[in-house]
């Protein structure tokens, strides 16, 4: 059977990059901080059982937010570990090779 | 013109500052000046401490120490303590790497099976996140006349079995950038831990040892270590004597300043030494190097850290 061609449809999506993961983490952090500050605010115009369901949904959203952040944190940490430790003092720039044929007498 | 005031409490940081540089004591303790901006070190250390506190308290209350549960319990406390500070994500002490340090700590030392356990208070509760305030009856406040308080806060009162002995004393986590090969050796004369141990003994708790957990927050790993410092009786006595001597000098300098305000530099001399450049440079270099320090007060805000109640930074 011939190997199927790779197309946009069957290519695996690229892994999220460092920048997008960090951006999403910050969004989640901000949202969670807001939710933790305000808490669930029941609506006095709604029946008690509706507010109870709302409180449960709020708690579920908070749990999902925490889970997402913990997943992103593990991914970002993995990215850092795979990148490896920075070399002390930074990389030394390679010298360009000298073209001896181009050198004129007495000129370096 | 800024007013200065003698604080109603003294903590280890204030003692360190007094001993390092009298002029820094003037700016920091009496004028309550604090540099503007956030410190990544205080932010990361505070968030790590909050996460460990939440994890420990939950573990001992529910008798649960599985990693996945503890990280979910601790994360909200970590996030709240970190606050709105947006750091350079490439920094070693970033949000990501500091959280990774918490996870590494809990994996290495799960709370219930850690060889270092919390001392149990008489009411049955583990002594986690311990605060104290010891009134020093012989040292009345120069304005109010009430006893000055010696105050402090540390991560927990620890206990560790050592053969047939039970070692008890203050336990504290110290976050750092790296753990040098001689990291254990720097704690023997550290007044902070002798002071904490002294405070416990004032309350009848037989502290003889300090436990320091080192956590190096790094980008690709989290080195961890434990230092166990034995504190002999004569060191407690020496520390106490030094505390009283320093307090006496602080109060005397303050009273003399009130009487002769024009002699401010004589009462609070400059160190002109290592204190000016240690830890990346003193926060008050701008004031000490200026011809008219008052012109630079706007670079600072008024904040006096209270270890009992307050946040570690404004």
């Amino acid at each position: 059977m011939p190997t199927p061609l790779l197309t946009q449809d069957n290519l695996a999506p690229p892994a999220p990059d460092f920048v997008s993961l960090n951006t999403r983490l910050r969004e989640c952090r901000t949202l969670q901080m807001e939710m933790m500050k305000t808490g669930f605010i029941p609506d006095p115009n709604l029946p008690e059982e509706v507010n109870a369901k709302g409180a449960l949904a709020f708690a579920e959203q908070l749990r999902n937010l925490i889970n997402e952040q913990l997943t992103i944190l593990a991914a970002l940490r993995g990215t850092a570990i795979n990148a490896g430790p920075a070399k002390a003092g930074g990389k030394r720039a390679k010298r360009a090779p000298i073209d001896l044929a181009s050198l004129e007498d007495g000129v370096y | 013109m800024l007013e200065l005031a003698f604080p109603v409490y003294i903590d280890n940081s204030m003692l360190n500052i007094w001993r390092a540089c009298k002029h820094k004591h003037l700016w920091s303790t009496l004028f309550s000046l604090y540099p503007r901006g956030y410190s990544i070190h205080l932010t990361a250390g505070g968030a790590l401490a909050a996460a460990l506190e939440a994890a420990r308290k939950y573990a001992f209350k529910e008798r649960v120490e599985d990693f996945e549960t503890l990280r979910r319990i601790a994360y909200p406390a970590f996030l709240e303590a970190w606050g709105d500070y947006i750091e350079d994500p490439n920094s070693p002490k970033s949000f990501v790497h500091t959280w990774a340090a918490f996870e590494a700590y809990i994996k290495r030392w799960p709370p219930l099976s850690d060889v270092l356990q919390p001392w149990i208070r008489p009411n049955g509760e583990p002594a986690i996140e311990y605060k104290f305030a010891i009134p020093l009856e012989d040292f009345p406040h120069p304005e109010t006349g009430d006893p000055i308080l010696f105050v402090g806060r540390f991560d927990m009162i620890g206990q560790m079995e050592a053969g047939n002995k039970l070692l008890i004393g203050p336990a504290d986590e110290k976050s750092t950038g790296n753990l040098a090969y001689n990291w254990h050796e720097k704690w023997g004369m550290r007044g902070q831990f002798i002071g904490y141990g002294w405070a416990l003994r004032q309350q009848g708790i037989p502290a003889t040892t300090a436990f320091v957990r080192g956590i190096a927050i790094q980008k690709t790993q989290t080195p961890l270590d434990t230092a166990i410092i034995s504190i002999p009786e004569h060191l407690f006595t020496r520390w106490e004597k030094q505390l009283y001597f320093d307090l006496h000098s602080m109060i005397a300098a303050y009273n003399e300043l009130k009487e002769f305000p024009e002699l401010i530099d004589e009462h609070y001399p400059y160190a002109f030494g290592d204190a000016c450049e240690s830890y990346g440079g003193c926060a008050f270099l701008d004031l000490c190097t200026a011809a008219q320090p008052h012109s630079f007060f706007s670079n600072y805000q008024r904040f006096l850290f209270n270890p009992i109640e307050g946040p570690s930074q404004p």
Side-chain angles (χ1 to χ4, degrees), chain B residues 168-179:
Chain B
I168 295 173
D172 215 33
E173 275 91 30
K174 292 289 186 194
S175 53
T176 176
N178 68 79
L179 293 171

Side-chain angles (χ1 to χ4, degrees), chain B residues 118-136:
Chain B
W119 180 79
I120 304 298
R121 298 174 203 249
N123 65 1
E125 285 185 6
I128 295 168
E129 191 61 21
Y130 191 80
K131 304 172 190 176
F132 62 85
I134 311 290
L136 301 171

Side-chain angles (χ1 to χ4, degrees), chain A residues 87 90-98:
Chain A
K87 289 186 170 53
K91 287 185 180 176
R92 182 180 293 175
K94 285 183 180 173
R95 288 187 184 177
I98 297 173

Side-chain angles (χ1 to χ4, degrees), chain A residues 20-95:
Chain A
S20 59
L21 282 174
N22 255 311
T23 304
R24 179 59 189 157
L25 180 62
R26 278 198 196 145
E27 285 168 1
C28 290
R29 278 166 64 177
T30 305
L31 178 57
Q32 182 168 348
M33 289 282 280
E34 272 310 304
M35 290 178 73
M36 279 166 31
K37 270 184 215 166
T38 59
F40 173 71
I41 302 170
D43 186 340
N45 299 318
L46 293 176
E48 201 176 303
E49 57 268 22
V50 175
N51 276 321
K53 280 187 184 167
L56 286 172
F58 182 90
E60 179 72 18
Q61 187 186 1
L62 208 49
R63 272 195 298 274
N64 290 340
L65 209 47
I66 291 172
N67 285 340
E68 184 178 357
Q69 289 172 84
L70 292 176
T71 303
I72 294 174
L73 284 164
L76 286 169
R77 180 69 172 179
T79 304
I81 289 172
N82 290 338
K87 289 186 170 53
K91 287 185 180 176
R92 182 180 293 175
K94 285 183 180 173
R95 288 187 184 177

Side-chain angles (χ1 to χ4, degrees), chain B residues 74-211:
Chain B
Y75 185 71
F78 179 89
L79 181 64
E80 188 173 4
W82 191 281
D84 298 329
Y85 181 64
I86 302 292
E87 80 297 353
D88 173 6
N90 291 310
S91 153
K93 281 191 181 175
S94 68
F95 188 93
V96 172
H97 300 316
T98 307
W99 175 254
F102 162 78
E103 291 190 342
Y105 188 108
I106 289 294
K107 272 188 189 163
R108 169 88 172 264
W109 293 305
L112 301 181
S113 35
D114 190 347
V115 63
L116 178 63
Q117 287 291 296
W119 180 79
I120 304 298
R121 298 174 203 249
N123 65 1
E125 285 185 6
I128 295 168
E129 191 61 21
Y130 191 80
K131 304 172 190 176
F132 62 85
I134 311 290
L136 301 171
E137 300 291 346
D138 293 336
F139 293 90
H141 189 276
E143 309 285 359
T144 67
D146 294 329
I148 291 172
L149 301 174
F150 174 61
V151 303
R153 176 173 78 186
F154 50 88
D155 294 320
M156 73 178 189
I157 303 177
Q159 65 179 38
M160 185 186 283
E161 289 176 16
N164 58 356
K165 280 201 298 194
L166 186 65
L167 306 177
I168 295 173
D172 215 33
E173 275 91 30
K174 292 289 186 194
S175 53
T176 176
N178 68 79
L179 293 171
Y181 72 97
N182 61 347
W183 176 81
H184 290 89
E185 296 167 16
K186 58 191 277 191
W187 306 106
M189 271 294 283
R190 190 76 171 243
Q192 177 184 18
F193 294 106
I194 304 173
Y196 290 164
W198 178 86
L200 290 179
R201 288 157 75 97
Q202 301 307 299
Q203 300 165 78
I205 299 169
T208 58
T209 310
F211 309 94

